[in-house]
Amino acid sequence: MIKTVSTTPYQDQKMGTAGIRKKVKTVIQENYLENFVQSLFDAIGGVKGQTFVLGGDGRYYNDIAIQKIIKMSAANGMKKLIIGQNGMLSTPASSRVLLKNHADGGLTLSASHNPGGINGDFGIKYATANGGQCSSAISAKIYERTKEISSYQTLDAKDVDLSKLGVQHLEGMEIEVIDPIKDYLLMMEEIFDFEAIKKLFKTNFSFVFDAMNAVTGPYGVKIFEEVLGAKKGSVHQAKPLPDFGGLHPDPNLVYAKHLVDLMWSDNAPDFAGANDGDGDRNMILGKKFFVSPSDSLAILTDNYAQIPAYKKGIYGVAKSAATSTAVCRVAKALNIACYEVPTGWKNFCNLMDSNRITFCGEESFGTSSSHIREKDGIWAILFWLNIIANTGKSVEQITRDFWAKYGRTYYLRFDFDGIDTSVADQLMKDLEANLKSFEGNTYEGHRVTDAHPFVYTDPVDGQTTQNGLLVYFEDGARICYRLSGTGTNGATLRVYIESYDPSNFDKDAKQELSGLLKVAMILADIEKRTGKNKPDLTT
Ligand code: G16
């Protein structure tokens, strides 16, 4: 039976870079989730007669939230919900299912790479009919609605059994519980040369995929072990757990330290890949070797012709402004366009929809192509495996060949975490006001040639977005500052630094960039304003 429940609004339901992301303890407050979901439905003009895709990364509260959303969808007149079995669906698989079924929207219950468990984070990513995250204009509308909502619609009904594949009905709404892996696997088979990768796994090539106890564990077991023939047990941390087994499911050198230790040990396999909570991020490692995400995007682009789906040619490429410029050098050599967009995957979608780009990526361990409208962790790993299968080269050799051809872009991201929001906002405001005064001056031996806010006008919809502040130096180095849009603990200031060396590839990145880090701290007056004399996290 449909019922209308009175509620009072919370005032903190603003969506960030990729949906709403909050502490679990916030989300489990009375009507918190319901308020947000009803506001979303209202803001998009209702969901009567629509089809949505629903799933999550299995984190704490996934099971409860999904039942609430099912009942609210039925009560709001939705026609059909396509749900991953047991409520599981990775973000890239969800985008695929949405596009394949021409669904009107999708909800992925995930706080992505943020920790899970009762003390961790929960989130909802909302995708529109194009398979990608909704525009800032839509998220602004949803936020406005959350501030005034007074009631929501739901059902008095039993929970739906999500373990059973197939169709069932709830108050006139069709629910189809699907295998979360099937469509995704079919798509990967269409893109990559699975026969070549199978042959690679028959040699003594050794491989590890670390799913970080998150959603892509079962995908990895199916795709790498069962279909491609990687040794049983190649997939580590394969079972999705509500608290990710205590791991912070962010595949980088800090949070996937256990994998880094393995790759630097005597037992290191030839290749290791890792994914994040909801399977859209990836990290690539070789024996005692790390591929920076910015380089990975550039290397995949340079090797596009190795992959059956891209062999005939690619459109342009795109990167977020914070990502290193390595891929731009490749684009120039290939004579294709290279777009620079604000951080947030949604900013790539119009470029893909209009066939301006095929590949895109971000420094935050996200890479993908126009096969979906999200970043795709397993796709990136399969791409690397396909190159290795074709060339017989190691991860390190492929990267070194790339540096030899284009030079090396040394790149690191420095995070200053848990800053008071008003301090962080003021810092950015003052830095922006000071940018022009840096031009022509030399700091620690680096002369600033240009400094300006990053402003992007989308060539398709004409929308203008400002995100981040850029400082360029005479020697080709660059600093980018921006505030994170995905944190749940005060503000995080991210400082992205790169330098370019056409011939010396063996310097230590931290050492190489230490002078520029000093400059970055001086220009933004970081120590005085935040009390921090060094970053909390370097990735
Ligand atoms: C989300 C977006 C990414 C973006 C990242 C930025 O990642 O989907 O496109 O790069 O946020 O995070 P921040 O604003 O903290 O730098 P994810 O993996 O959390 O969905």
Side-chain angles (χ1 to χ4, degrees), residues 17-18 21 111-114 125 133 276 278 280-281 343-346 348 362-364 374-375 413 482-487 494 496:
T17 317
R21 206 165 284 186
S112 193
H113 55 285
N114 292 20
K125 292 183 172 183
Q133 296 157 9
D276 74 331
D278 61 332
D280 56 2
R281 297 183 175 209
T343 293
W345 206 262
K346 57 178 168 256
F348 295 127
E362 297 183 299
E363 52 68 40
S364 53
E374 286 284 358
K375 48 193 193 262
R413 183 177 98 187
R482 60 178 282 279
L483 297 182
S484 158
T486 62
R494 302 207 196 281
Y496 312 83

Side-chain angles (χ1 to χ4, degrees), residues 251-253 256 259-260 272-275 281-285 290 365 381:
N252 61 39
L253 295 176
L259 187 62
V260 175
N275 276 186
R281 297 183 175 209
N282 76 90
M283 175 169 70
I284 305 292
L285 299 166
F290 164 68
F365 295 77
I381 291 169

Side-chain angles (χ1 to χ4, degrees), residues 165 172 199:
L165 292 177
K199 273 196 202 136

